[in-house]
């Protein structure tokens, strides 16, 4: 008997096509989105630094589905329908969330189909009324700092810094700013002015992005003002 | 028919004969030694304990490769595949973690079997003490990295009930207490012999006790001051500040027990009084009995498979015995300039004068003149001699117009502008910072060959650290006079003959940094002083940052810098053929070290947490 490759190929292809259908599991489809907000104002943080964890029980091992919050305070997941517990762990984030004492409580989230839900948090501070002015390559920011948590859980400001970067990712992180200038928290009273001089950028670009970051004593994550594009 | 009869008879005979021998299936295996045999002969027990020694965990060590020395901006990795060290902007939560309860179980079994064995009492005593020593050592590694962990001190047996085997985390202080009490208990069982270095001795136990107590004390004191957020409600992480003094006293007492000679006549290594740098470098290469400084080492031996590639990986490129397999670990300018001047003052490496003009030096090494002898003992400076010839470090030349040129040849000669050893940005396997490592580098011919490799030991505990432990503990207890006495001994050996008159916390931090750099202390020292998040704050550095505040404990140190030598070429000038230097931040250095609160204790992974729900998570993660 002679091999007939046509038939072999045909059989193989049929098997493969059929197999694909059988093996592949359904991908999670329900999207779960939201933002971290305080009275409707999104909380600006550093990208990939504030985690949101989801736990689903009943599947043996314990482990979180971790999503990181973007610069402007948004998060998103693709999930299967079901019941989840949501937590922002530890002292992550420049805010208090769902807690009375030092530790945080989780909250229940039911997913059936797409869902959008903002998480209400209470930041220690907010940066308000930011105005940028440009003089040559010097970027000046004028703003005020608003203390939100004033009770026993209040924390001091460690420092306030103006960060300027050539891309939209602006933070205290070393490779996310090209210029910065800050003052210690003790010097922050009333209206604050900070000026940072942008160095020569290669390749040349006629614009930069700026944010103001506020470091709270004893909290790693800083709270930022909204991103602003500035034309030099 | 007859045939069948014979066959049946012989078959029956065979079966009955084989049945008789009841032990037929019970022959002892020839390739496994049963436990009771193993523990009947001290020579066999030694091979068990040797395996336990071999499995010790070190943060930096010579057999887990050069890269374990490379982080924290004290060095630059000159291997392009390892650039992540200088490009990452944070450490993962799981970084530096360990959770090897298999090892602890093996040690527990060893202790139990040795206790139950029929060995002679004196052998038994030492073996048990060694087991407990190694267990304390591993718990110390665990508590440094993970905080309080479940304390398992006997082998666990599963009898159908997993719940009873789930042990919660102990308090961090309880683990330290366990380590200290274990070492206290076994120290008198261990030999007080200076010449035993790779097995547990009384001094090794005391040195570990002093270091552990010091760590606990500083976590108690500085944790409360600087990182009150790095704690757990059950004290699994964090030690109450009130316990600090008691720990400092224990650290001091244990260190002083060694200093007083109770555990053998240890002393600082001073074999070479003419060249103090060579003397310092020799501490790490001298394995003879003359070395009374090293207390507990990981030993190696050429000709066996217990050798390491540190010299192969890090030898100067121009002196390499293995071609391009060289030059990976390059100490940074950050650590080089931290070595103070002989008058006990700090100063940056002087590249420019007060008015900002470059300073020209006749010899390459003149720029480092008048500094702590440990500098040249730790770091191979440009022009240093290794294996019979000077290394060739030259970034290029500067012409009369002031341009820096790194291409072609030197004017009027056929010598390439860049030295054989570099530095050139991105040119791997030779120095890119201008410096090579000297600590642990084996001067023996052949040590740089892959076929032979090196047997320089890794020193886990040495006398100088014991003195520094004593000094720090005495300082924290308010006894400055005593503290000065100890720290000045270490400084005197390094050529800093003018004794310090006053001691500050910053001085202690600095002294440990320069004396013990590349010995696996940097991370844990910074962690226990709770300085890590201040020093590695994630902000970029400029040359001005680099050169300011040297000697300050809180000076940030996030990116490694280079110091590139250039030959000045201008025949009309008096500075012709002299050297000038430039600080350079290499192109690959794009990240900045950022240590966050969650990095103080490594993550306990989800697998462990789901197997034992009694274990609480680390803070800030």
């Amino acid at each position: 008997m002679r091999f007939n490759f046509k038939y072999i190929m045909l059989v193989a292809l049929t098997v493969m096509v059929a197999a694909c259908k059988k093996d592949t599991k359904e991908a999670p489809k329900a999207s779960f989105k939201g933002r971290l907000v305080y009275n409707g104002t999104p909380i600006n943080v550093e990208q990939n630094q504030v985690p949101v964890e989801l736990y689903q029980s009943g599947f043996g091992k314990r482990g979180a589905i971790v999503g990181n919050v973007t610069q402007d305070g948004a998060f998103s997941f693709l999930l299967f329908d079901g019941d989840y517990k949501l937590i922002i762990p530890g002292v992550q984030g420049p805010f208090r969330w769902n807690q009375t004492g030092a530790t945080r409580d989780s909250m229940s989230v039911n997913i059936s189909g797409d869902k959008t839900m903002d998480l209400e948090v209470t930041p220690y501070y907010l940066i308000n009324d930011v105005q940028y002015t440009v003089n040559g390559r010097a970027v000046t920011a004028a703003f005020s700092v608003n203390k939100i948590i004033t009770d026993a859980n209040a924390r001091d400001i460690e420092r306030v810094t103006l960060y300027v970067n050539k891309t939209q990712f602006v933070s205290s992180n070393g490779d996310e700013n090209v210029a910065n200038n800050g003052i210690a928290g003790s010097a922050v009273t009333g209206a604050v002015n900070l000026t940072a001089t942008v160095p020569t950028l290669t390749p040349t670009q006629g614009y930069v992005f700026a944010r103001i970051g506020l470091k709270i004593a004893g909290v790693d994550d800083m709270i930022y003002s909204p991103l602003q594009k500035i034309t030099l | 028919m007859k045939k069948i009869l014979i066959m049946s008879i012989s078959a029956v005979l065979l079966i009955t004969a084989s049945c008789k021998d009841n032990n037929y299936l019970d022959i002892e295996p020839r390739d496994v030694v049963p436990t009771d045999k193993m523990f009947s002969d001290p020579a066999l027990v030694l091979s068990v304990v040797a395996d336990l020694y071999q499995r010790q965990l070190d943060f930096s060590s010579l057999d887990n490769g050069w890269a374990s020395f490379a982080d924290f901006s004290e060095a630059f990795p000159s291997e392009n595949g390892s650039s992540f060290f200088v490009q990452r902007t944070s450490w993962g939560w799981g970084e530096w973690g360990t959770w090897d309860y298999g090892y602890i179980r093996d040690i527990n079994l060893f202790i139990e079997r040795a206790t139950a064995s029929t060995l002679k009492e004196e052998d038994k005593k030492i073996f048990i003490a060694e087991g407990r020593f190694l267990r304390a050592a591993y718990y110390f590694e665990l508590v440094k990295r993970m905080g309080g962990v479940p304390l398992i001190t006997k082998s666990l047996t599963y009898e159908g009930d997993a719940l009873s085997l789930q042990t919660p985390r102990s308090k961090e202080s309880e683990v330290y207490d366990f380590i200290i009490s274990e070492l206290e208990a076994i120290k008198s069982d261990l030999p007080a012999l200076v010449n035993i270095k790779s097995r547990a001795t009384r001094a090794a136990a005391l040195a570990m006790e002093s270091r552990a107590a010091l760590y606990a004390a500083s976590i108690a004191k500085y944790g409360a001051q600087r990182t009150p957020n790095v704690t757990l409600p059950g004290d699994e992480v964090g030690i109450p500040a009130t316990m600090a003094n008691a720990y400092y006293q224990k650290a001091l007492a244990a260190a002083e027990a060694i200093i007083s000679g109770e555990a053998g006549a240890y002393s600082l290594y001073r074999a070479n009084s003419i060249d103090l740098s060579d003397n310092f470098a020799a501490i790490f290469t001298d394995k003879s009995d003359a070395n009374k400084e090293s207390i507990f080492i990981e030993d190696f031996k050429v000709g066996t498979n217990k050798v390491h590639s540190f010299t192969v990986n890090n030898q100067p490129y121009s002196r390499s015995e293995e071609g391009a397999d060289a030059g990976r670990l390059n100490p940074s300018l950050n650590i080089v300039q931290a070595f103070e001047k002989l008058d006990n003052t700090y100063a940056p490496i002087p590249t420019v004068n007060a008015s900002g003009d470059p300073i020209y030096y006749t010899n390459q090494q003149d720029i480092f003149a008048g500094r702590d002898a440990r500098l040249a003992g730790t770091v191979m400076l440009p022009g240093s001699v290794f294996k019979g010839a000077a290394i060739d470090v030259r970034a290029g030349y500067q012409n009369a117009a002031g341009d820096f040129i790194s291409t072609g040849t030197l004017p009027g000669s056929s010598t390439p502008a860049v030295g054989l050893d570099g530095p050139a940005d991105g040119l791997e396997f030779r120095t890119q910072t201008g410096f090579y490592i000297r600590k642990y580098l084996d001067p023996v011919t052949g040590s740089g060959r892959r076929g032979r490799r090196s047997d320089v030991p890794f020193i886990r505990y040495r006398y100088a650290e014991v003195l520094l432990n004593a000094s720090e503990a005495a300082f924290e207890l308010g006894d400055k006079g005593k503290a000065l006495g100890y720290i000045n001994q270490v400084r005197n050996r390094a050529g800093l003959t003018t004794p310090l008159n006053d001691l500050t916390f910053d001085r202690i931090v600095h002294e440990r940094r320069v004396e013990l750099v590349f010995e696996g202390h940097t991370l844990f020292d910074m962690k226990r002083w709770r300085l890590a998040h201040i020093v590695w704050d994630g902000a970029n550095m400029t040359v001005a940052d680099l050169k300011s505040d040297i000697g300050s404990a809180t000076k940030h140190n996030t990116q490694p810098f280079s110091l590139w030598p250039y030959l000045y070429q201008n025949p009309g000038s008096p500075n012709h053929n002299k050297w000038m230097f430039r600080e350079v931040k290499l192109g690959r250095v794009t990240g900045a070290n950022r240590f966050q609160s969650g990095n103080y204790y490594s993550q306990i992974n989800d697998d462990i947490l789901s197997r034992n729900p009694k274990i609480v998570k680390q803070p800030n993660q």
Side-chain angles (χ1 to χ4, degrees):
Chain A
M1 202 185 111
R2 295 188 57 192
F3 278 112
N4 190 332
F5 273 97
K6 255 190 288 180
Y7 292 123
I8 295 176
M9 292 297 278
L10 200 70
V11 170
L13 267 176
T14 320
V15 168
M16 280 196 272
V17 169
C20 278
K21 248 190 191 163
K22 288 231 153 151
D23 296 351
T24 315
K25 288 203 171 156
E26 196 83 346
K29 274 194 304 210
S31 94
F32 172 45
K33 291 181 187 167
R35 293 174 306 164
L36 305 178
V37 293
Y38 173 68
N39 291 342
T41 320
I43 300 295
N44 286 266
V45 292
E46 183 184 333
Q47 57 147 347
N48 289 343
Q49 287 302 313
V50 181
V52 175
E53 292 186 353
L54 287 173
Y55 288 87
Q56 191 177 26
S57 57
F59 291 91
K61 292 210 164 175
R62 218 170 64 140
I65 304 163
V66 185
N68 282 312
V69 174
T70 60
Q71 274 201 154
D72 53 0
F75 61 87
S76 69
F77 294 88
L78 271 181
L79 300 167
F80 293 109
D81 288 353
D83 290 315
Y84 294 87
K85 294 273 187 196
L86 182 150
I87 191 166
I88 303 172
V91 291
Q92 298 291 343
F95 46 72
R96 285 170 67 78
W97 175 79
N98 219 12
Q99 67 194 101
T100 40
T103 49
R104 288 175 178 168
D105 266 341
S106 60
M107 60 184 281
S108 299
V109 180
N110 176 271
I111 303 289
S112 58
D114 293 352
K115 180 167 190 157
T116 304
M117 185 178 81
D118 286 349
L119 297 178
E120 191 70 30
V121 300
T122 316
Y124 290 95
Y125 292 89
L126 272 182
I127 298 163
N128 292 338
D129 317 323
V130 189
Q131 299 289 333
Y132 292 97
T133 47
V134 183
N135 183 7
R137 298 195 74 82
V139 176
T140 303
F143 56 92
S144 62
V145 171
N146 187 6
K147 190 169 188 173
I148 308 289
I149 297 178
T150 49
D151 59 8
N153 298 311
R155 287 176 183 270
D156 291 336
I157 305 175
E158 196 172 299
R159 61 173 197 277
V160 183
T161 312
L162 167 66
Y163 294 103
V164 182
N165 198 13
K166 51 185 176 181
T167 72
Q168 290 191 50
F169 297 108
V170 186
S171 77
S172 65
N173 184 347
D175 57 4
E176 290 185 0
N177 67 74
V178 290
N180 67 70
N181 182 27
I183 51 168
S186 50
V188 178
T189 45
V192 186
N193 277 292
L194 286 173
T195 304
T197 308
V198 185
T200 319
L201 301 175
T202 350
T204 322
Q205 67 181 41
Y207 56 89
V208 288
F209 296 88
R211 297 210 288 174
I212 294 144
L214 185 150
K215 173 86 171 70
I216 302 147
V219 178
D220 281 335
D221 296 311
M222 296 169 71
I223 188 160
Y224 291 87
S225 64
L227 186 74
Q228 176 73 46
K229 183 175 176 178
I230 292 167
T231 310
L232 291 174
Chain B
M1 193 67 207
K2 209 176 173 187
K3 253 188 198 167
I4 292 175
L5 188 72
I6 294 171
M7 274 168 75
S8 330
I9 290 172
S10 38
V12 166
L13 276 175
L14 256 175
I15 293 166
T16 38
S18 55
C19 278
K20 245 186 192 170
D21 188 2
N22 284 330
N23 298 329
Y24 179 72
L25 291 173
D26 288 342
I27 11 171
E28 288 197 352
R30 293 184 197 174
D31 51 350
V32 178
V33 185
T35 308
D36 52 338
K37 282 263 166 58
M38 196 74 189
F39 282 84
S40 63
D41 179 355
L44 290 173
V45 184
L46 185 61
S47 66
V48 181
V49 84
D51 169 63
L52 299 177
Y53 273 112
Q54 171 64 19
R55 287 160 67 188
Q56 285 176 94
L57 177 68
D58 292 301
F59 179 78
S60 295
S61 92
L62 298 169
D63 47 13
N64 64 15
W66 65 277
S68 62
F69 297 85
D71 213 349
F72 314 114
S73 299
E74 304 292 44
F76 175 84
S78 185
E79 179 189 82
N80 292 346
S82 297
S83 298
F84 64 89
F85 280 116
V86 289
Q87 293 178 339
R88 60 181 165 196
T89 50
S90 62
W91 287 285
W93 289 151
E95 199 87 26
W96 316 303
T98 178
W99 197 269
D100 190 358
Y101 275 87
Y103 180 47
I104 290 185
R105 176 178 169 80
D106 286 352
I107 299 176
N108 285 336
L109 282 173
F110 171 79
I111 295 170
E112 285 160 17
R113 287 168 180 171
T115 312
S117 74
T118 52
L119 292 170
K120 277 187 287 182
E121 270 316 305
E122 65 261 34
D123 289 338
K124 215 187 214 182
K125 202 174 66 178
I126 290 186
F127 284 132
I128 293 169
E130 284 186 292
R132 291 170 76 180
F133 174 85
L134 291 170
R135 188 173 60 185
Y138 188 66
Y139 272 115
F140 188 21
E141 286 300 322
L142 273 171
V143 73
K144 281 194 287 188
R145 298 161 194 241
M146 319 301 288
V149 292
L151 272 176
I152 311 291
T153 53
K154 56 181 197 302
S155 63
L156 302 178
T157 317
Y158 175 67
E159 283 158 347
D161 173 25
L163 279 179
S164 66
L165 300 181
Q166 292 173 344
T167 313
R169 297 175 69 179
S170 296
K171 291 179 183 178
E172 188 172 13
S173 59
E174 285 170 349
V175 180
Y176 277 110
D177 289 342
F178 171 75
I179 297 163
I180 293 166
S181 69
E182 282 287 285
L183 294 168
E184 265 307 301
I186 59 169
K187 66 177 186 190
S188 47
D189 291 347
L190 291 167
L193 293 172
V194 180
N195 298 338
I196 297 179
K197 296 193 188 295
S198 55
R199 287 181 72 176
T201 55
R202 190 171 302 170
L206 286 166
M208 192 191 294
E209 185 188 345
S210 125
R211 193 193 285 175
L214 192 65
Y215 277 30
S218 32
I219 288 169
K221 178 169 178 190
Y222 295 104
Q225 281 180 18
R226 299 200 180 106
T227 55
N229 56 332
V230 184
T231 48
L232 286 174
D235 280 340
E236 289 89 352
V237 155
I239 299 175
T242 46
M243 300 173 81
N245 265 11
Y247 281 125
Y248 278 126
Q249 275 154 7
K250 282 181 186 155
L252 182 62
E256 283 187 326
I258 299 176
I259 296 167
S260 69
E262 194 178 294
Y266 290 93
S267 60
L268 290 174
Y269 185 80
R270 292 174 187 270
N272 180 347
S273 56
I274 298 152
D275 189 327
L276 294 177
S277 297
D278 287 353
N279 180 61
F280 188 75
I283 298 170
F284 302 93
T285 54
D286 185 353
K287 293 207 279 190
S288 74
D289 289 351
N291 191 342
K292 298 202 184 307
E293 170 147 359
S294 61
I295 294 175
F296 185 53
I297 65 172
E298 178 179 11
D299 208 352
F300 296 86
K301 190 169 165 61
V302 161
T304 68
N305 59 10
K306 183 78 179 162
V307 283
H308 61 77
S309 296
F310 190 84
T311 305
V312 181
N313 291 156
N314 304 311
Q315 57 194 332
Y317 186 84
S318 63
R319 309 297 310 141
S320 171
E321 297 175 311
E322 200 61 71
D325 198 350
R328 286 177 173 82
L329 186 66
N330 304 161
S332 65
L333 177 56
N334 312 33
I335 183 68
V336 167
Q337 65 166 15
F339 289 89
E340 64 208 278
K341 301 208 298 183
L342 290 175
D343 59 0
N344 299 345
T345 58
Y346 302 110
I349 302 290
T351 53
V352 289
N353 61 19
S355 47
D357 299 324
I359 305 177
Y360 294 93
Y361 294 92
T362 313
N363 297 309
Q364 263 186 328
Q365 297 200 346
D366 292 353
I367 193 169
F368 309 105
R371 285 198 182 246
D372 188 334
R374 288 173 292 191
L375 170 58
T378 309
V379 174
M380 206 172 286
L381 303 167
S384 291
V385 174
F386 184 69
K387 290 192 177 165
I391 59 171
D392 182 18
V393 181
R394 182 178 58 251
Y397 64 94
Q398 189 189 29
N399 63 16
D403 304 324
F404 294 101
I405 297 163
S406 301
T407 52
T409 57
L410 292 175
S413 106
S414 60
T415 317
V418 178
L420 191 53
D421 281 303
D425 202 341
L427 192 60
E428 59 183 342
F429 303 136
R430 54 213 90 184
T431 180
Q432 291 182 53
T433 63
F435 308 103
Y436 286 113
I437 181 79
R438 185 169 182 201
K439 223 174 226 185
Y440 314 114
L441 214 57
D442 193 343
V444 174
T445 309
S447 58
R449 291 203 310 262
R450 286 177 192 158
R452 180 187 181 274
R453 309 207 273 165
S454 164
D455 60 1
V456 162
F458 177 73
I459 302 185
R460 294 194 173 101
Y461 293 91
R462 62 189 175 99
Y463 186 68
E465 189 218 334
V466 172
L467 285 173
L468 292 177
N469 290 352
S471 175
E472 183 180 340
F475 170 78
E476 297 288 0
L477 291 168
D479 191 345
K480 262 193 194 175
K482 192 183 250 183
L484 279 167
Y486 292 137
I487 201 170
N488 279 331
Q489 288 182 40
V490 177
R491 294 170 60 82
N492 183 283
R493 191 264 302 268
L496 298 158
T497 42
T498 318
L500 287 178
N501 301 319
D502 190 29
L503 201 55
T504 57
F505 173 71
D506 288 25
R507 273 282 174 191
I508 289 171
V509 172
H510 165 262
E511 203 61 39
R512 283 186 80 94
R513 181 179 176 205
V514 296
E515 174 76 29
L516 303 172
V517 68
F518 303 126
E519 292 180 45
H521 290 267
T522 312
L523 173 69
F524 298 119
D525 275 347
M526 287 299 155
K527 269 170 58 159
R528 72 185 170 91
W529 287 318
R530 296 298 194 245
L531 287 172
H533 69 287
I534 301 170
V535 170
W536 302 315
D537 62 356
N540 283 353
M541 284 174 78
T542 60
V543 172
D545 280 347
L546 175 77
K547 295 171 95 169
S548 61
D549 281 342
I550 302 171
S552 159
T554 52
K555 173 184 165 64
H556 81 147
N557 185 25
T558 55
Q559 296 180 314
F561 277 78
S562 306
L563 187 69
W564 283 10
Y566 288 89
L567 199 59
Y568 187 58
Q569 293 293 300
N570 181 7
S573 152
N575 291 326
H576 178 57
N577 266 344
K578 287 190 177 177
W579 293 93
M580 54 94 57
F581 292 80
R582 224 160 46 120
E583 296 92 353
V584 175
K585 191 198 275 186
L586 295 168
R588 280 168 197 275
V589 182
T590 53
N593 295 334
R594 176 164 58 168
F595 192 98
Q596 293 172 284
S597 306
N599 287 118
Y600 272 106
Y601 293 93
S602 304
Q603 188 174 38
I604 299 177
N605 67 40
D606 290 334
D607 201 31
I608 298 163
L609 291 175
S610 46
R611 271 182 288 167
N612 182 355
K614 288 182 187 163
I615 289 183
V616 293
K617 285 175 84 172
Q618 307 283 27
N620 306 308
Q621 286 179 4

